[in-house]
């Protein structure tokens, strides 16, 4: 065979398109044998497929394994294949035109990256847990396959293993045979779906069962966390979501059961495996959480359920149309929740999530919603704020533009026409155009196939609303926007809703008549549009006096979101936002707004957008305010959690740190606030980082008290936080050298490594980051590189020198023709873009100090 064996674990779009012309009608029969306390497992996989000759000299099956024991092709043992690190290759001459069967027996190692076939050891009870996670390109870590979304297949799985373990797959068991301590479970053959949606979860899981009509529902978590599981709430969310989606989609749930499994060391929030959704254990709440955190969990549950239709039943042909999965799941999860009783304000919280899209869309690395994906590495990079949050926002705009009935009918027809198939952008556009009677292609050119976010500015002039649309920063593109606006009149110091109207903005300017007494206008009421809204100084002055009097919490949330975007765009002085936040935060009735749009943004400003001099001024002021608020006996527990977060993150001076020490030791207490395990670790980490005299004693005691896996990881975070050069070096070696530690464990250490107050100790790690980062991105998996690239970047070094260092690193690579890994290039460009945004804000503050001086 004359071809090149892959040297990277990736699949190109071109190779996938070629292979899909060669292979069809695929099925897998897989048998796995698992043992306790083993580093490896045995597998036997039979792949049946139709092969079409076209002159290609080889056929590639993606496969990572430690050892292949035997290969049988069409009933005959063979050694006529080539094995690479990431695939095996069959000579076309040995394949039959038409039906072929390939059987491989092998031994593979478990993974510790959170993906592939991940194995976890629970230090609390010495139990073992395994789970698969394959998106976008990891199914071949478990079995040989055509690992691409458009070669759908059915799967018949048999597992042999200890009888004390639970085995969870995409389908229900068909036959179970127990022999002493061993069990063999044969699962029903699955319907057709893509390889990345295959699931197997193993371990001594605790199970809870219910039903939705005839559909079995299961919830699972490991034994040591079962005491924290609030299964009744999760079942209630699941039933409500299922009822809403089945009705709205006008298409029944497509599979025979629905399991939700909370698995250890998961890299994402959740994964939509067919009938077997896996979730991060962060969604098992071990302590009191805010309403917004409960809503976010409910949204993730609903998001993954939407995927059973959008993504699992109907799947994008290739990863450039990832948005056909994620944008729909992101939007329709919030939309479905808003139709239910449990979280009817969900669309307000979708607006908070949209900040992710605005940030991503203003990077030089932004991409269209209908993106490019030359290979699976680029596909992974597209799991971002564009494919999720911007896509969701644009779909909400489309629904508002064409009307809900046309939007809903299109979705139902989409499932009926393309069930168990793969689709592209054109398929979506044709369905929407048919059902709406509107040319959606032109809409797509504006919204799905371009980049950037527009900004709207408005003023009131002679009884009319005057709107100006600014083009997207990188391409100056002007789009058509369908929005609502709401006008308010002033009455006795309050803003009273006066009128709400729909308007189409189709150009650089638009205008609409207002009632004569309208004095303040909010654009994009109810957030139907994907656009930024900026306010004039006069409008900000009105908001500062009276925003708290606006009855509609969604309207107040929109104003705060706009003010935050103005801070990021250097259109509003950060300290002015803090002052407004202090004044109006004390009057804000909605705790979700207080937390996500006021306190969280104040903390971000203190961390990122203030000079050291201004930080030294504002942190004590904010700490004092937080302490005063925490002293109010009438506060709810949720209020106390919010103010405690501000207290913790602004503790700087010795008396402030002493107060934290008193709280963690119990010498002092705060009414309605429990200093739970999470808060204890967070306090100890801060005390350690700031060199508090009692930090080491607290740390030593806490390690003895908390022996859980999370306790061990938090301890590593505290260890990495030590203001000690030798400790930093030890941790750096752990991050950069091969390790038996899991990615998740090392990720916690990375979170504790950088502290702004440790600049002198951390200074050498600026150069060392750039010396190590390319090797990390070249040799480690995508989840580890993402953690290393983001968490170990020296964010505290907000200087022109750092910006120059990034640009020089990339320029040198370009001059040498030494292209860095694509994910690394993207990460560094985004770090540079962040600095280009931050530095002018800091320099303006420095200039003001010089003028005053």
């Amino acid at each position: 065979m004359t071809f090149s064996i892959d040297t990277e674990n990736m699949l190109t779009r071109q190779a996938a398109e070629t292979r899909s012309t060669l292979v069809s009608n695929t099925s897998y029969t897989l048998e796995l044998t698992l043992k306790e306390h083993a580093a490896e497992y045995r597998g036997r996989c039979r792949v049946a497929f139709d092969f079409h000759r076209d002159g290609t000299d080889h056929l590639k099956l993606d496969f990572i394994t430690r050892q292949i024991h035997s290969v049988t092709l069409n009933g005959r043992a063979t050694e006529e294949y080539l094995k690479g690190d990431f695939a095996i290759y069959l000579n076309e001459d040995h394949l039959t035109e038409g039906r072929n069967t390939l059987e491989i027996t092998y031994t593979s190692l478990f993974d510790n990256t959170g993906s592939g076939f991940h194995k976890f050891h629970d230090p609390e009870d010495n139990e073992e847990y395994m789970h698969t996670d394959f998106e976008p390109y990891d199914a071949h870590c478990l079995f040989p396959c055509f690992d691409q979304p458009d070669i759908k297949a059915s799967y018949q799985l048999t597992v042999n293993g200890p009888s004390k373990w639970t085995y969870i797959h995409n389908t229900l068991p068909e036959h179970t045979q127990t022999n002493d301590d061993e069990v063999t479970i044969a699962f029903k053959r699955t319907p057709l779906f893509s390889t990345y949606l295959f699931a197997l979860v193993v371990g001594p899981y605790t199970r809870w069962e219910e039903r939705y009509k005839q559909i079995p529902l299961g919830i699972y978590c490991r034994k040591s966390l079962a005491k924290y599981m609030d299964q009744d709430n999760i079942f209630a969310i699941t039933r409500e979501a299922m009822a809403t989606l089945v009705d709205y989609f006008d298409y029944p749930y497509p599979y025979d059961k629905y399991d939700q499994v909370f698995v250890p060391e998961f890299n994402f929030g959740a994964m939509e495996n067919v009938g077997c959704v896996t979730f991060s254990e962060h969604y098992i709440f071990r302590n009191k959480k805010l309403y917004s955190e409960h809503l976010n969990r409910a949204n993730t549950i609903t998001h993954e359920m939407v995927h059973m239709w959008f993504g699992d039943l109907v799947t994008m042909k290739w990863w450039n149309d990832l948005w056909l999965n994620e944008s729909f799941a992101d939007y329709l999860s919030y939309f479905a929740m808003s139709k239910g009783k449990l979280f009817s304000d969900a669309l307000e919280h979708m607006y908070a999530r949209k900040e992710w899209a605005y940030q991503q869309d203003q990077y030089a690395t932004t991409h269209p919603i209908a993106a490019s994906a030359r290979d699976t590495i680029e596909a992974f990079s597209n799991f971002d704020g564009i494919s999720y949050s911007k896509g969701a926002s644009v779909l909400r705009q489309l629904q508002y533009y064409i009307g809900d009935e046309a939007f809903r009918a299109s979705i139902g027809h989409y499932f009926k026409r393309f069930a168990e198939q793969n689709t592209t952008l054109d398929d979506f556009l044709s369905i929407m155009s048919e059902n709406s009677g509107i040319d959606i292609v032109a809409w797509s050119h504006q919204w799905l196939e371009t980049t950037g976010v527009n900004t709207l500015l408005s003023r009131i002039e002679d009884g009319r609303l005057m709107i100006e649309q600014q083009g997207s920063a990188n391409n100056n593109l002007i789009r058509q926007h369908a929005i609502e606006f709401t006008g308010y009149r002033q009455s006795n110091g309050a803003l009273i809703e006066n009128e709400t109207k729909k308007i189409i903005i189709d150009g650089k300017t638009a205008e609409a008549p207002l009632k004569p007494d309208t004095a303040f206008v909010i654009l994009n009421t109810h957030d139907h549009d994907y656009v930024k809204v900026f306010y004039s100084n006069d409008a900000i002055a009105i908001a500062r006096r009276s925003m708290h009097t606006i009855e509609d919490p969604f309207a107040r949330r929109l104003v705060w979101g706009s003010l935050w975007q103005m801070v990021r765009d250097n259109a509003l002085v950060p300290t002015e936002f803090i002052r407004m936040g202090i004044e109006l935060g004390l009057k804000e009735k909605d705790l979700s707004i207080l937390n996500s749009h006021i306190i969280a943004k104040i903390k971000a400003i203190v961390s990122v957008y203030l000079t050291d001099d201004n930080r030294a001024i504002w942190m004590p002021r904010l700490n004092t305010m937080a302490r005063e608020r925490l002293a109010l006996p009438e506060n709810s527990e949720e209020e106390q959690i919010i103010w405690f977060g501000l207290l913790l993150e602004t503790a700087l001076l010795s008396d402030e740190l002493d107060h934290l020490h008193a709280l963690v030791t119990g010498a002092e207490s705060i009414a309605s606030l429990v200093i739970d395990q999470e808060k204890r670790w967070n306090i100890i980490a801060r005390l350690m980082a700031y060199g508090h005299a009692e930090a080491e004693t607290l740390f030593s005691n806490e390690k003895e008290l908390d022996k859980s896996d999370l306790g061990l990881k938090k301890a590593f975070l505290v260890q990495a936080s030590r203001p000690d050069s030798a400790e930093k070096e030890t941790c750096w070696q752990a991050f950069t050298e091969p390790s038996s530690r899991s990615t998740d464990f090392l990720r916690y250490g990375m979170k504790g490594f950088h502290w702004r107050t440790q600049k002198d100790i951390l200074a050498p790690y600026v150069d060392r980051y750039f010396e190590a980062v390319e090797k990390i991105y070249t040799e480690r998996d995508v989840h580890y590189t993402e953690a290393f690239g983001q968490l170990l970047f020296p964010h505290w070094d907000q200087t022109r020198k750092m910006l120059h260092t990034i640009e020089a690193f990339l320029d040198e690579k370009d001059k040498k023709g030494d292209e860095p890994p694509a994910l690394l290039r993207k990460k560094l460009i985004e770090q540079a873009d962040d600095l280009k945004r931050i530095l002018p804000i800091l320099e303006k503050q420095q200039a003001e100090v010089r003028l005053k001086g």
Side-chain angles (χ1 to χ4, degrees):
M1 288 185 276
T2 56
F3 60 91
S4 299
I5 292 178
D6 289 346
T7 57
E8 290 186 80
N9 184 29
M10 72 173 187
L11 180 68
T12 67
R13 179 178 179 177
Q14 182 179 8
E17 288 175 343
T18 298
R19 188 161 63 180
S20 67
T21 67
L22 305 176
V23 174
S24 60
N25 192 23
T26 305
S27 67
Y28 299 91
T29 303
L30 177 63
E31 182 175 1
L32 298 173
T33 300
L34 311 176
K35 300 291 185 183
E36 281 191 271
H37 309 300
E40 58 188 30
Y41 59 92
R42 297 270 299 199
R44 181 177 65 183
C45 182
R46 186 169 72 250
V47 190
F49 58 96
D50 291 345
F51 181 70
H52 171 66
R53 294 182 183 275
D54 76 341
T56 301
D57 61 359
H58 72 280
L59 178 65
K60 170 186 171 182
L61 280 88
D62 311 293
F63 191 33
I64 296 175
T65 189
R66 186 177 72 81
Q67 183 181 4
I68 290 177
H69 302 295
S70 66
V71 176
T72 302
L73 180 60
N74 295 327
R76 293 186 178 183
T78 181
E79 295 183 0
E80 294 292 327
Y81 64 90
L82 287 179
K83 178 182 179 297
D85 290 336
F86 312 111
I88 65 170
Y89 304 83
L90 303 174
N91 193 315
E92 185 189 69
D93 294 340
H94 299 143
L95 295 168
T96 300
E97 177 78 23
R99 199 66 176 163
N100 289 262
T101 302
L102 175 72
E103 185 170 301
I104 301 175
T105 61
Y106 56 94
T107 297
S108 291
L109 297 172
F110 288 102
D111 297 284
N112 70 349
T113 63
S115 291
F117 196 18
H118 179 82
K119 188 170 189 177
F120 169 82
H121 171 257
D122 190 333
E124 283 193 86
D125 56 16
N126 205 34
E127 297 286 7
E128 296 174 286
Y129 295 87
M130 290 133 274
H131 73 263
T132 57
D133 185 50
F134 292 156
E135 189 175 28
Y137 181 62
D138 277 321
H140 60 286
C141 295
L142 182 68
F143 60 97
C145 58
F146 305 111
D147 202 357
Q148 61 189 75
D150 64 333
I151 301 184
K152 289 194 169 187
S154 66
Y155 312 81
Q156 202 282 310
L157 171 67
T158 299
V159 183
N160 309 298
S163 58
K164 72 174 188 175
W165 288 349
T166 300
Y167 301 84
I168 313 158
H169 179 45
N170 305 95
T171 56
L172 293 165
E174 188 170 48
H175 177 72
T176 301
Q177 180 178 338
T178 303
N179 183 14
D180 296 328
D181 295 334
E182 299 294 316
V183 67
T184 297
I185 301 177
F187 291 91
K188 294 178 182 178
R189 181 167 286 279
T190 72
L192 294 176
F193 57 76
S194 303
T195 49
Y196 75 91
L197 296 167
F198 180 99
L200 174 62
V201 184
V202 179
Y205 278 89
T206 301
R207 172 185 171 89
W208 295 266
E209 299 179 7
E210 276 200 17
R211 300 183 79 86
Y212 171 76
K213 296 184 177 179
Q214 300 305 310
I215 301 167
L217 306 177
I219 294 173
Y220 299 81
C221 77
R222 55 187 163 108
K223 291 194 301 183
S224 61
L225 296 183
K227 59 183 176 286
Y228 302 113
M229 179 59 72
D230 49 344
Q231 68 275 5
D232 292 343
N233 175 256
I234 294 173
F235 276 131
I237 295 164
T238 303
R239 289 192 303 269
E240 182 177 85
M242 186 80 74
T244 303
L245 293 174
V246 168
D247 176 67
Y248 190 79
F249 292 162
D250 190 27
Y251 195 99
Y253 174 71
Y255 306 109
D256 66 356
K257 54 105 175 180
Y258 193 71
D259 287 328
Q260 297 176 98
V261 192
F262 294 80
V263 299
E265 302 193 321
F266 204 61
N267 285 313
F268 296 116
M271 177 60 207
E272 66 269 19
N273 313 301
V274 165
C276 180
V277 178
T278 42
F279 290 87
S280 165
E281 289 181 340
H282 293 297
Y283 288 121
I284 299 175
F285 294 155
R286 308 184 195 195
N287 44 61
K288 179 72 175 180
K289 295 293 183 181
L290 301 174
Y291 170 79
S292 59
E293 293 172 296
H294 281 273
L295 185 144
N296 289 339
R297 180 175 71 176
N299 177 255
T300 300
I301 290 169
T302 311
H303 177 113
E304 302 310 318
M305 191 181 291
V306 173
H307 273 312
M308 297 299 113
W309 290 265
F310 276 106
D312 294 10
L313 179 67
V314 182
T315 314
M316 77 267 138
K317 182 175 178 60
W318 180 246
W319 298 103
N320 57 308
D321 280 321
L322 173 67
W323 72 278
L324 285 171
N325 290 9
E326 298 303 346
S327 299
F328 276 94
D330 217 54
Y331 173 51
L332 290 169
S333 57
Y334 284 104
F335 179 73
M337 291 168 68
S338 74
K339 298 300 181 183
K341 296 180 180 179
L342 297 175
F343 298 98
S344 58
D345 61 342
L347 290 172
E348 294 186 36
H349 295 258
M350 178 179 162
Y351 175 71
R353 179 173 169 83
K354 205 158 141 180
E355 293 167 2
W356 182 25
Y358 291 147
Q359 179 180 11
Q360 196 78 50
D361 209 11
Q362 292 176 93
Y363 284 139
T365 58
T366 189
H367 57 83
I369 295 170
S372 165
R374 292 164 295 183
D375 52 53
T376 50
I377 298 294
E378 187 172 9
F380 180 82
S381 75
N382 289 339
F383 285 80
D384 60 16
I386 305 299
S387 298
Y388 285 74
S389 188
K390 180 180 179 180
S393 301
V394 167
L395 287 175
R396 180 158 166 75
Q397 168 74 173
L398 175 63
Q399 182 187 36
Y400 189 63
Y401 180 59
I402 69 174
D404 183 58
E405 286 307 310
F407 187 78
R408 180 180 183 178
S410 298
I411 289 173
H413 291 167
Y414 182 74
F415 296 140
K416 292 178 179 72
R417 184 176 299 181
F418 296 112
E420 293 193 333
Q421 298 179 49
N422 297 86
T423 57
T424 65
L425 170 64
D426 290 341
D427 297 319
F428 163 78
L429 296 178
S430 65
I431 289 279
M432 284 288 172
S433 295
E434 285 174 25
N435 285 278
S436 68
I438 298 172
D439 180 11
I440 304 301
V441 174
W443 175 89
S444 171
H445 290 330
Q446 285 190 57
W447 288 104
L448 300 179
E449 300 166 54
T450 63
T451 63
V453 56
N454 297 117
T455 301
L456 300 181
L457 302 93
S458 67
R459 68 184 188 278
I460 298 173
E461 186 176 294
D462 298 327
R464 298 186 69 79
L465 175 64
M466 314 299 291
I467 300 173
E468 175 191 347
Q469 178 182 181
Q470 294 182 345
S472 301
N474 293 333
N475 53 24
N476 205 32
L477 182 68
I478 298 294
R479 297 180 177 88
Q480 185 181 75
H481 299 266
I483 68 167
E484 287 179 340
F485 69 85
T486 299
Y488 295 82
R489 60 184 173 85
Q490 293 180 310
S491 176
N492 298 321
L495 290 173
I496 309 298
E497 187 173 327
N498 213 24
E499 56 186 327
T500 295
K501 295 180 181 178
K502 181 176 180 178
I503 183 173
I504 303 295
I505 302 170
D506 195 5
K508 291 185 177 182
T509 60
E511 59 182 271
L514 294 172
K515 290 185 176 180
D517 55 350
T518 294
F520 183 76
V521 172
I522 297 177
L523 296 182
N524 196 27
T525 317
H526 303 117
D527 193 37
H528 293 291
D529 194 10
Y530 176 74
V531 69
K532 294 189 297 183
V533 174
F534 280 10
Y535 289 95
S536 67
N537 290 335
D538 290 343
I540 291 174
I542 294 173
R544 187 167 183 173
R545 289 194 305 269
S546 306
M547 182 170 32
H548 64 286
T549 67
I550 296 174
E551 285 296 324
D552 181 9
F554 203 165
R556 299 197 303 275
R557 190 185 294 270
L558 290 169
V559 177
W560 280 114
S562 293
L563 295 175
W564 170 244
Q565 293 303 322
M566 291 179 72
V567 170
R568 293 192 72 249
D569 284 1
N570 205 10
L572 178 66
V573 177
T575 51
E576 285 304 300
F577 186 102
I578 295 177
R579 289 188 178 95
M580 286 185 69
I582 291 173
E583 294 169 12
L584 295 174
L586 302 182
K587 302 173 184 177
E588 178 54 58
K589 299 180 287 291
D590 188 303
L591 294 182
S592 292
I593 296 174
L594 173 64
N595 182 55
S596 63
H597 287 286
I598 302 177
I599 300 300
K601 298 306 181 288
I602 286 175
K603 290 191 288 190
I605 287 171
V606 169
S607 175
V608 177
Y609 295 110
L610 293 186
T611 61
D612 287 344
D613 289 341
N614 271 334
R615 189 174 292 109
I617 293 169
W618 281 102
M619 284 180 69
R621 292 182 186 177
L622 292 165
N623 193 270
T624 298
M625 182 182 76
R627 195 162 175 176
E628 290 172 351
R629 299 305 297 180
L630 285 164
L632 298 177
E634 67 270 21
N635 284 353
S636 67
E637 186 174 5
E638 187 162 348
E639 286 176 276
Q640 298 297 68
I641 292 171
I642 294 169
W643 292 115
F644 175 79
L646 183 63
L647 181 86
L648 177 68
E649 293 195 31
T650 56
L652 172 69
L653 305 177
S654 59
D655 64 313
E656 296 163 355
L657 298 171
D658 287 342
H659 180 53
L660 292 179
H661 175 259
L663 291 174
V664 82
T665 59
E668 294 183 29
S669 63
I670 296 172
S672 301
L673 183 74
V674 176
I675 304 299
D676 53 44
Q677 188 64 71
E678 181 180 12
K679 293 183 182 67
R680 293 181 65 82
W681 278 121
N682 291 342
I683 290 172
I684 293 168
R686 192 166 191 91
L687 295 178
M688 179 67 78
Y690 280 66
H692 191 274
E694 298 298 321
E696 291 292 348
T697 300
L698 286 171
F699 182 37
S700 179
N701 292 339
E702 207 65 28
K703 286 190 291 184
E704 293 302 313
L705 291 171
D706 187 2
K707 297 286 192 179
S708 69
D709 71 293
L710 186 56
L712 297 177
K713 291 166 185 173
K714 289 282 192 176
F716 187 36
L717 185 155
V718 175
Q719 178 186 337
S721 300
R722 271 197 184 106
D724 178 80
S725 297
E727 192 68 80
K728 296 295 185 189
E729 179 62 27
T730 298
C731 292
W732 188 258
Q733 293 302 318
F735 302 146
T736 54
E737 298 297 327
S739 174
S740 60
R741 293 289 194 177
S742 70
T743 295
D744 197 55
F745 182 88
L746 294 170
R747 190 185 284 123
Y748 272 86
M750 294 177 193
K751 291 176 182 178
F753 192 77
H754 284 296
W755 290 82
R756 187 180 299 275
T757 53
Q758 300 174 5
K759 288 182 180 181
D760 291 343
I761 295 172
L762 293 169
Y765 293 95
V766 175
D767 289 340
R768 293 184 69 179
Y769 175 87
F770 286 95
E771 291 164 2
V773 69
E774 186 168 14
K775 186 172 187 286
I776 294 293
Y777 271 79
T778 301
E779 297 180 357
R780 306 292 282 270
D781 69 277
V782 291
H783 297 289
Y784 190 83
T785 60
E786 175 69 17
F788 188 98
Q790 177 64 24
L791 298 174
L792 290 179
F793 181 84
H795 294 278
W796 50 267
D797 191 357
Q798 296 173 314
T799 61
R800 290 282 169 186
K801 181 181 178 182
M802 172 55 74
L803 178 58
H804 174 74
T805 299
I806 298 171
E807 293 175 337
F809 179 90
L810 293 173
D811 288 345
E812 183 180 0
K813 297 294 178 184
D814 289 341
K815 288 176 183 176
K816 292 181 177 179
D818 182 17
E819 185 74 15
L823 292 177
L824 172 58
R825 171 176 284 277
K826 179 178 181 180
K827 179 60 63 179
L828 291 178
I829 290 173
E830 291 174 357
Q831 303 288 12
D833 283 354
D834 281 338
L835 280 172
K836 290 174 185 175
R837 180 177 295 273
I838 293 165
L839 288 171
I841 297 173
L842 300 180
E843 288 162 358
K844 182 186 286 187
Q845 294 171 53
Q846 292 161 352
E848 289 173 354
V849 171
R850 287 194 296 270
L851 284 173
K852 291 178 181 177

